[in-house]
Amino acid sequence: MSRCHQPTSTAAFASIQQATAHLERVVLKVLEQYPDGLTVGETCARADYPRYSLQPRFTALKDRRAIRDTGLRRPNVSGRNAIVWRACHHDRREAQA
């Protein structure tokens, strides 16, 4: 029997997919409230989630073109410049206006 097809592996994968989808919805919901965009840290603070939970979701959402880099940078808690992210639906709304 292949290791990839064991029932426990399949169940674990399904559970991870559900959690991932939920966290992506959290990120999008917060970014939708801030048309000017937020950094990862700002998003985590507003959503009340730890950075390690939401950080990977930004890459996935960017790859799906649900969010984009605004080109702006703001200092994060360590003082380094962080990308300001924006939900892409704001761009579509502005283009239609």
Side-chain angles (χ1 to χ4, degrees), residues 19-31 38-62 67 85:
T20 297
H22 169 74
L23 294 173
E24 287 177 1
R25 286 191 302 272
V26 168
V27 170
L28 279 174
K29 184 176 179 181
V30 173
L31 288 177
L38 296 170
T39 65
V40 171
E42 292 166 345
T43 304
C44 292
R46 284 162 179 78
D48 198 27
Y49 275 81
R51 182 181 180 90
Y52 63 82
S53 292
L54 298 185
Q55 172 77 49
R57 300 305 96 224
F58 281 77
T59 302
L61 290 166
K62 175 189 65 103
I67 65 173
W85 296 98

Side-chain angles (χ1 to χ4, degrees), residues 73-76 79-83:
R73 303 292 183 266
R74 284 200 282 264
N76 61 18
R80 293 187 175 153
N81 282 331
I83 295 171

